[in-house]
Amino acid sequence: WDKSSIWYKAVVRADQDHSITIGFSSSVGEGSVVKTLSATTTQLETGLPPDTYVGHYVIVGSGCVLKSCRVDDFVLVGDKCTILEGSIVSDHVILEPGTVVHPYQHIPSGQRWGGNPAQKIADLTMGEKESIQEEAEKIHATALDHILEFLPHGFTYVQLEELEKKAAEAEAAK
């Protein structure tokens, strides 16, 4: 899933035997936390394991918390949303910023939800459904720009700039 992105100050943390899956072309926004319940919890009230699943083309906004939940494909999770354990957010859903999805709540496909607790606002139009994938692909393109700026050790960017300058000079000399 090399098109997924985890943005600055975001945390993805699973305890021991629990897993976190993040799908193709999905992104976890700045300062968001994606986690599982503690290792002492072996299963949810539903009988399922307390894993966290984020599907394909999912956009998790900044400052969100996802805990042992399932977010299916083509979902836009607005900034500062909270999705708690056992919750299921189906395909083609938009959660308005600040929405709180309570434990074991189910958000049906093709709808816009908001509030605390989360409540249905409207059905999504076909255009809104299609825009989720388009936005996810735009975020991926932005992530590619940020890869070049990543500085794992000090002033690596200075060396990159020097190499780019030398390459430009060599090209101009041809």
Side-chain angles (χ1 to χ4, degrees), residues 97-146:
T99 299
V100 177
V101 180
H102 283 247
Y104 304 100
Q105 189 172 3
H106 177 248
I107 308 296
S109 181
Q111 298 178 352
R112 176 185 302 272
W113 284 60
N116 180 8
Q119 297 177 339
K120 180 182 175 185
I121 295 172
D123 290 325
L124 295 181
T125 65
M126 188 56 72
E128 289 172 319
K129 290 178 184 178
E130 291 170 355
S131 71
I132 296 170
Q133 181 174 348
E134 293 168 5
E135 187 63 27
E137 290 171 347
K138 285 180 189 175
I139 292 171
H140 170 67
T142 303
L144 291 177
D145 291 339
H146 284 259

Side-chain angles (χ1 to χ4, degrees), residues 9 19 25 29 33 42 50 55 57 64 68 75 86-87 95 103 116 128 137 156:
K9 298 182 183 176
S19 68
S25 203
V33 177
T42 57
Y57 298 100
C64 294
S68 292
V75 175
S87 298
L95 296 178
N116 180 8
E128 289 172 319
E137 290 171 347
T156 307

Side-chain angles (χ1 to χ4, degrees), residues 4-8 10-12 22 26-34 54 58-64 66 139:
S4 298
S5 56
I6 310 298
W7 288 88
Y8 306 105
V11 176
V12 178
I22 298 175
S26 291
S27 65
V28 177
E30 289 186 42
S32 290
V33 177
V34 179
V54 176
V58 174
I59 303 162
V60 177
S62 301
C64 294
L66 281 67
I139 292 171

Side-chain angles (χ1 to χ4, degrees), residues 8-81:
Y8 306 105
K9 298 182 183 176
V11 176
V12 178
R13 180 177 182 270
D15 278 347
Q16 284 185 328
D17 296 328
H18 308 322
S19 68
I20 294 175
T21 303
I22 298 175
F24 181 78
S25 203
S26 291
S27 65
V28 177
E30 289 186 42
S32 290
V33 177
V34 179
K35 61 182 261 172
T36 62
L37 291 174
S38 69
T40 58
T41 305
T42 57
Q43 67 179 18
L44 300 170
E45 291 176 16
T46 58
L48 297 173
D51 299 332
T52 299
Y53 175 83
V54 176
H56 306 301
Y57 298 100
V58 174
I59 303 162
V60 177
S62 301
C64 294
V65 176
L66 281 67
K67 181 167 82 171
S68 292
C69 59
R70 180 178 182 89
V71 179
D72 287 330
D73 304 335
F74 306 103
V75 175
L76 172 57
V77 179
D79 294 345
K80 298 192 185 312
C81 285

Side-chain angles (χ1 to χ4, degrees), residues 153-172:
H153 303 295
F155 296 97
T156 307
Y157 70 95
V158 174
Q159 295 168 338
L160 177 62
E161 288 173 351
E162 289 175 10
L163 289 172
E164 289 173 341
K165 184 178 176 182
K166 287 179 184 178
E169 290 171 355
E171 187 66 31

